[in-house]
Amino acid sequence: GTVGFPAGDAARTIEVWFRLEAAPSVDAVVAGYGDFSGSNTSFVVGADPSATLFFSQWGLALWGPVQPLNIWVHLAATHGAGGQVLYLNGVEVDAGTRPVQTTKFGSLAVGNREAVEAFDGQVDELSVYDGALTADEIAAIYASGSDGKCDP
């Protein structure tokens, strides 16, 4: 479950290193949590069938670029008073305002969501933060690279 994760409209960040090995056949969850049965009730980063990266709250999305296969990348999404920001490799790629209302009793999804949206790849160093990290904090985590996580 996700007890202890940021819930409701609370500020938060999800960030993860991953490598996409094949384009998914449907929208695939790289990592996220919440109630996937309703709109605006989850907090997810993933890739669509064209390998385009996204953040979604299972309603509207923020979009990143098409992800080349077999390359490790860092993907992060923040939610704060100003809305959401999607980052790829430490750089903002999209921003917007989407309603977010996650439940504290939701599901955690890493690599798939109930075996529906299968993700063909690898995931490393997934973190969920209670607060919206700044652009500098996201860039510092990305810059740490293979040295491991540099806590903000």
Side-chain angles (χ1 to χ4, degrees), residues 69-135:
L69 301 180
N70 298 307
I71 296 174
W72 282 97
V73 295
H74 182 257
L75 190 61
T78 62
H79 170 71
Q84 297 82 36
V85 181
L86 180 65
Y87 297 88
L88 177 63
N89 294 337
V91 177
E92 180 181 323
V93 293
D94 199 5
T97 303
R98 310 288 188 258
V100 173
Q101 286 296 323
T102 56
T103 176
K104 64 181 178 180
F105 301 109
S107 300
L108 174 64
V110 180
N112 68 27
R113 180 183 69 87
E114 301 166 356
V116 176
E117 288 88 16
F119 167 74
D120 187 3
Q122 298 176 346
V123 174
D124 195 18
E125 293 193 30
L126 167 64
S127 295
V128 176
Y129 298 88
D130 186 16
L133 298 184
T134 66

Side-chain angles (χ1 to χ4, degrees), residues 15 38 146:
E15 56 96 5
S146 63

Side-chain angles (χ1 to χ4, degrees), residues 14-16 28-33 36 43-46 108-111 123 126:
I14 189 168
E15 56 96 5
V16 62
V29 172
V30 173
Y33 72 97
F36 295 95
F43 200 76
V44 175
V45 291
L108 174 64
V110 180
V123 174
L126 167 64

